Amino acid sequence: MTSETGFDPKLFDRFPTSEPRPQSELDELKRIWAAPRGWRMLTIVNNNYVGLWYVAAAFLFFLLAGVLALVMRAQLSLPLLGVLPQETYNQFFTMHGTVMMFLFAVPIMEAIGVMLLPQMLAARDLPFPRLSAYAFWAYLIGGLCFFASLFAGLAPDGGWFMYPPLTNSTYSPGINADFWLLGIGFIEISAIAGAIEILVGILKTRAPGMTLARMPLFAWAMLVFAGMILIAFPSVILATLLLELERALNWPFFDSTRGGDPMLWQHLFWFFGHPEVYIIFLPAAGLVSMMVSSLAKTELVGYQLIVLALLATGFISFGVWAHHMFTTGMPSMTTGFFAAASMAVSIPAGIQVFSWIATLAIGKPRYNTPTLFVVGGLVTFVMGGLTGVMVAMVPFDWQAHDTYFIVAHLHYVLIGGAVFPVFAAFYFWVGMTSRRPLSERLGKWVFWLMFSGMHITFLPMHLSGLMGMPRRVYTYLPGMQWEWTNMLSSVGAFILGTGVLLFLVDLIRNFRFTTENDAGNIYGGGTLEWLPTGLYSTRSIPVIRSMTPLWDNPNLAREVAEGRHFLPYSATGLRETLITSPIRAEPQYLQIMMGPSIWPLLGAVFTAGFFLLLTVQAYFLSIVCLPLATFSILRWLWDTDRPVTQKEVDVGAGIMLPTYVTGPSAHGWWATICVLVVAAMIFFMAIFGYLFVYGVHPTYWVIPTERWWALPISLAYAAAAVLVFVGRWLLGRKRSTNWSPTTALLFAALMIVAALATDWFSWRAQGVDPELTAQGAFSHALLALQAQLAAVVILMGGYLAARTARGLITRPRNTTFDVVSLFLLYTCAQGAATALLLRFFPVSV
């Protein structure tokens, strides 16, 4: 077998070692990884705690959105009821959809990932524990403040999709829509932070020997999930930014009277919105794949096919977004393409469904609570998938669009494909975190109430829709023949709610959080999360030789607990984990991990304060929060990238690994690439918007003059990029001073700012008004995006200078220097592309 990194795979044969490690080393691990007590628990960054808090917060939002749904069903149970006035009903259905999609469905999957993945991969923790804590606190604070707008009468009321022109300042003059735009934009930033943590964690912190071909399917699903978030979520962030700019500054991105187009919002929103369905489904599918195998007591049928299906779903889902826009008047060829893609995406889902059925068929499953939820979710999801194929057919979609048929289809897919698998996971994995398992007797009652309630609620909605009942109406007239279907749906909703309430009773009675002495492997899983663990995860990090190591090596748990594998102690006296190669999981180096800190919490508080105060137009306080948030984040980063005195350490069996590396081997390098992918996707979608509105309304555009400005601006960016490479060269030169490399990068940053200023003033000199046409609005928006990057570049330059002054920039390579260099190079590329695009397009009108 060819090595990926130069590591000799024969070294794996040294494990397990012959003798157990002493108890004193385990006691030292416990001391190093111990969680703070009292109010200092707010500083905890361990995935055990943060993951649990994350799951609990997401479940809280699920309950809140469910209560809103019950009130709406009470309003619709009979014609002309007055449970809710029209405006309040609009706020309720907007908040229900928004909270379920943005605050429950995606975050619950990230939360389960944060909680399970370190144990499943046998890592001490995910690689950026403070980033996980920041993502959680930002999500919790932002989500609670967003939901609280409902009690002040300021909740958004334009639907969870917020279509303009309904949501522009003319038709939604209050700040209700601003709560959605700024609040959701902020919450999506939190989701992206979590996705970066998960993606880098899966690729770089797997146990030695856990090649991609041996990786648990939940890890595969979360890898695709995280990658899809990095590609899809920037689109909705850009959309919310553009609509907020239109509302606040009167820039006409979506105003067709000034060259914009409201259809652009639908393209940007659904480029995020339809992949989001699969972003939600794929982690749930990964959970189901792992549970099915354990519950059936047999290996999963078609592991490789399921991996391919996960990848195919992620790829095809980005070609399906206009599935939601068949009734908007798109050309026939376009609708035909998206209809075909909408049907094609069902093929990889079908592969997974048949794999699960085959596994259950050849195994010997017991119909306990997790099995019931898995099978119930499978039945429900398949029914939702069949109606999905129906609405993928354009003629049928024309009839069913915006009726309750679509409401039913959506809930069948999401409840069957996500909610039921999540409840199955609660019962299946609760033994990892609780001293007592949940009740089997109550669990079966919970399932049957939820399963029957779900079908009684949503099955009649198909008929309501086919009989013509439109969605998003707060009441209806008698005599429409909708009374009995709506009454059935309302009764079913309360049955479903009763099942969820009974689950809460079960949690209160039986769930007792613990990091040691848990209930254990109740259902006989064969993967690593069932090894004996503490706050340090496993005592030692095992060598992996199969996909189900606990089944294939019954002695593995004992070997790991005795410290007979990798890293049975703290080699440096600090928190550590192994960093392995992304494909073959060969050990590369020992990562020094950050411990508890208050700065992620403060960073989240001030970031939330900036966005929320901006929403209520408290501009001064909002501006005050921005530097405080920036300082908090930089302060938590200040503790990172500090090499320890030991250049190499023994990680077990005499194997020596470095404690510090740079370049593509470093986990920080991978995280930076993820951030740049997000920035590039925002820029790419902005270019799409720029070209789209030109294609729709070319008569509103003017040909740019003074195109020669593109040459000096592009040359300035190119010169800045050259300075970056000069700085990297100087860092490796022994004869250069400590300040020489940093000075080169500081000059590069100044040149980027100068190029941007030249671009801005030269464009303004042409008299293009951002309030007059969409061309002017998009030109200024593209320059504003570049200005954001330039502001980050200045911050990075100051941070790099401060670390240089304190002697923290190591030679000949340094991770902080690498990160700043990568960001500078990307900023140069985007700046040059912006200058060229604005001056050479359009060529004619």
Side-chain angles (χ1 to χ4, degrees):
M1 181 183 294
T2 304
S3 171
E4 183 182 359
T5 63
F7 181 87
D8 185 359
K10 293 181 180 178
L11 293 176
F12 288 153
D13 295 337
R14 298 184 183 181
F15 300 97
T17 56
S18 58
E19 296 295 330
R21 304 296 301 187
Q23 178 66 30
S24 59
E25 293 177 350
L26 178 59
D27 294 338
E28 179 71 359
L29 274 179
K30 290 181 178 180
R31 182 192 65 79
I32 292 170
W33 287 89
R37 301 289 184 181
W39 71 268
R40 290 180 60 84
M41 287 187 70
L42 296 174
T43 68
I44 287 176
V45 296
N46 304 61
N47 81 288
N48 315 64
Y49 283 92
V50 173
L52 179 68
W53 295 345
Y54 217 151
V55 170
F59 191 68
L60 171 64
F61 287 119
F62 171 76
L63 296 176
L64 294 174
V67 170
L68 298 181
L70 292 179
V71 178
M72 288 191 294
R73 282 316 317 168
Q75 165 69 17
L76 292 172
S77 58
L78 290 171
L80 301 178
L81 286 184
V83 177
L84 292 172
Q86 180 178 353
E87 287 302 317
T88 305
Y89 183 87
N90 289 343
Q91 292 183 11
F92 268 49
F93 88 73
T94 299
M95 291 295 287
H96 168 74
T98 301
V99 171
M100 281 297 192
M101 297 299 287
F102 291 97
L103 295 178
F104 166 68
V106 174
I108 192 70
M109 301 306 174
E110 280 197 343
I112 293 173
V114 169
M115 193 169 186
L116 289 184
L117 282 173
Q119 279 74 17
M120 201 172 279
L121 304 176
R124 295 278 191 235
D125 205 334
L126 291 172
F128 308 103
R130 291 186 179 179
L131 183 62
S132 291
Y134 173 81
F136 163 70
W137 288 116
Y139 158 70
L140 178 65
I141 296 167
L144 289 175
C145 292
F146 175 73
F147 193 85
S149 66
L150 191 64
F151 301 103
L154 297 174
D157 55 6
W160 76 277
F161 35 78
M162 294 294 285
Y163 286 166
L166 177 64
T167 53
N168 65 24
S169 55
T170 302
Y171 298 103
S172 298
I175 65 172
N176 303 57
D178 299 307
F179 262 103
W180 193 96
L181 295 170
L182 292 172
I184 294 305
F186 167 58
I187 291 166
E188 296 314 300
I189 293 172
S190 166
I192 288 173
I196 293 172
E197 173 80 296
I198 287 169
L199 188 146
V200 178
I202 292 171
L203 289 177
K204 297 296 291 179
T205 64
R206 302 196 308 275
M210 186 184 283
T211 64
L212 292 179
R214 295 171 183 164
M215 199 162 70
L217 277 169
F218 178 65
W220 266 112
M222 292 303 293
L223 183 63
V224 179
F225 161 92
M228 290 178 70
I229 284 180
L230 298 185
I231 296 172
F233 278 39
S235 182
V236 75
I237 290 174
L238 176 69
T240 57
L241 177 63
L242 297 183
L243 186 51
E244 184 60 29
L245 286 173
E246 180 171 303
R247 289 174 56 84
L249 302 180
N250 196 30
W251 292 7
F253 301 104
F254 308 108
D255 183 353
S256 59
T257 64
R258 291 181 285 169
D261 198 295
M263 285 289 293
L264 173 61
W265 172 272
Q266 293 200 37
H267 282 290
L268 293 177
F269 182 85
W270 289 118
F271 184 82
F272 144 82
H274 201 86
E276 188 191 22
V277 174
Y278 301 100
I279 287 171
I280 295 165
F281 166 68
L282 289 181
L287 293 171
V288 169
S289 293
M290 298 194 67
M291 286 186 288
V292 161
S293 176
S294 297
L295 296 169
K297 310 298 181 187
T298 186
E299 288 192 5
L300 186 71
V301 173
Y303 172 93
Q304 291 85 354
L305 285 176
I306 290 183
V307 171
L308 291 175
L310 293 170
L311 295 170
T313 300
F315 178 77
I316 298 172
S317 67
F318 285 100
V320 185
W321 82 86
H323 166 105
H324 297 265
M325 302 167 60
F326 287 161
T327 61
T328 59
M330 292 190 303
S332 298
M333 181 177 293
T334 304
T335 56
F337 169 81
F338 284 106
S342 300
M343 288 184 265
V345 79
S346 65
I347 296 173
I351 289 172
Q352 295 176 79
V353 168
F354 282 113
S355 170
W356 301 332
I357 293 172
T359 304
L360 291 171
I362 66 172
K364 297 179 180 179
R366 292 184 178 180
Y367 284 90
N368 44 42
T369 303
T371 306
L372 289 173
F373 271 109
V374 164
V375 174
L378 182 59
V379 170
T380 305
F381 177 74
V382 168
M383 294 176 68
L386 292 175
T387 56
V389 174
M390 293 170 67
V391 297
M393 294 184 288
V394 179
F396 182 84
D397 185 76
W398 286 346
Q399 306 302 315
H401 190 77
D402 271 347
T403 71
Y404 261 81
F405 189 94
I406 303 299
V407 177
H409 157 68
L410 173 67
H411 285 83
Y412 263 86
V413 170
L414 291 180
I415 293 177
V419 175
F420 281 176
V422 164
F423 273 82
F426 285 163
Y427 281 92
F428 185 85
W429 274 286
V430 72
M432 278 182 55
T433 57
S434 174
R435 287 194 295 270
R436 300 201 319 235
L438 298 179
S439 167
E440 271 294 317
R441 182 173 60 87
L442 282 180
K444 291 177 180 178
W445 275 98
V446 170
F447 168 73
W448 286 112
L449 284 170
M450 291 184 65
F451 184 76
S452 59
M454 187 274 163
H455 288 278
I456 294 170
T457 303
F458 296 106
L459 193 59
M461 285 187 188
H462 294 94
L463 190 55
S464 298
L466 293 176
M467 291 192 297
M469 183 174 178
R471 62 196 298 194
R472 310 180 196 116
V473 293
Y474 84 106
T475 192
Y476 51 95
L477 294 174
M480 303 292 291
Q481 304 300 316
W482 302 339
E483 292 90 342
W484 69 273
T485 54
N486 275 287
M487 178 57 75
L488 267 179
S489 292
S490 296
V491 170
F494 281 89
I495 295 173
L496 176 58
T498 302
V500 176
L501 181 62
L502 191 59
F503 175 75
L504 285 177
V505 171
D506 196 3
L507 275 181
I508 293 169
R509 288 184 57 190
N510 293 302
F511 185 80
R512 301 293 182 270
F513 176 67
T514 184
T515 57
E516 295 181 348
N517 303 316
D518 51 47
N521 193 357
I522 305 166
Y523 300 101
T527 42
L528 298 180
E529 70 272 23
W530 301 114
L531 290 171
T533 59
L535 281 174
Y536 47 82
S537 187
T538 58
R539 163 71 195 277
S540 56
I541 300 175
V543 175
I544 305 305
R545 296 180 171 90
S546 69
M547 287 186 290
T548 51
L550 294 187
W551 288 354
D552 299 327
N553 180 8
N555 297 319
L556 183 62
R558 177 176 54 81
E559 294 170 2
V560 167
E562 292 175 349
R564 296 168 60 191
H565 285 265
F566 275 99
L567 208 62
Y569 43 72
S570 175
T572 63
L574 302 169
R575 295 189 178 197
E576 312 154 337
T577 195
L578 283 181
I579 296 296
T580 53
S581 60
I583 298 175
R584 298 192 184 279
E586 297 171 350
Q588 291 183 298
Y589 66 98
L590 188 71
Q591 180 197 348
I592 308 301
M593 310 191 79
M594 294 298 100
S597 172
I598 195 64
W599 296 111
L601 172 57
L602 293 178
V605 168
F606 291 126
T607 306
F610 170 72
F611 281 94
L612 294 170
L613 290 168
L614 201 61
T615 302
V616 298
Q617 300 174 5
Y619 298 121
F620 175 76
L621 291 176
S622 176
I623 292 172
V624 169
C625 284
L626 184 59
L628 292 174
T630 303
F631 174 80
S632 299
I633 294 170
L634 292 178
R635 178 60 187 83
W636 113 45
L637 290 173
W638 187 260
D639 297 330
T640 63
D641 193 25
R642 295 193 179 198
V644 295
T645 55
Q646 305 99 312
K647 301 299 182 183
E648 287 190 338
V649 292
D650 185 345
V651 295
I655 296 174
M656 304 297 291
L657 288 181
T659 57
Y660 188 81
V661 302
T662 59
S665 295
H667 60 285
W669 185 91
W670 285 77
T672 305
I673 295 299
C674 291
V675 172
L676 296 182
V677 168
V678 172
M681 282 304 303
I682 292 175
F683 181 60
F684 175 79
M685 297 311 295
I687 292 175
F688 168 79
Y690 181 84
L691 300 178
F692 179 84
V693 294
Y694 167 75
V696 175
H697 297 293
T699 56
Y700 285 85
W701 288 55
V702 296
I703 300 174
T705 57
E706 300 182 355
R707 291 178 171 174
W708 61 271
W709 276 108
L711 179 60
I713 293 169
S714 299
L715 288 176
Y717 283 120
V722 170
L723 281 173
V724 173
F725 287 109
V726 169
R728 291 172 62 84
W729 176 74
L730 289 172
L731 189 68
R733 295 268 301 175
K734 293 182 179 180
R735 295 182 180 179
S736 64
T737 66
N738 288 339
W739 275 97
S740 297
T742 299
T743 302
L745 263 61
L746 291 176
F747 273 112
L750 292 175
M751 191 163 290
I752 287 172
V753 173
L756 172 64
T758 303
D759 200 355
W760 181 275
F761 287 113
S762 67
W763 187 251
R764 290 287 291 177
Q766 298 185 44
V768 178
D769 190 342
E771 296 185 35
L772 189 61
T773 66
Q775 181 185 17
F778 263 107
S779 301
H780 285 73
L782 286 165
L783 290 171
L785 289 176
Q786 183 65 12
Q788 289 178 334
L789 293 182
V792 175
V793 162
I794 293 299
L795 282 173
M796 283 185 161
Y799 180 76
L800 184 65
R803 292 186 72 88
T804 303
R806 295 297 298 272
L808 298 176
I809 301 301
T810 55
R811 313 286 290 270
R813 296 294 297 274
N814 180 265
T815 297
T816 299
F817 200 91
D818 285 350
V819 167
V820 176
S821 298
L822 284 171
F823 200 90
L824 284 167
L825 290 172
Y826 173 79
T827 303
C828 292
Q830 180 171 312
T834 299
L836 293 170
L837 175 69
L838 294 183
R839 282 162 182 80
F840 289 99
F841 188 88
V843 177
S844 62
V845 294

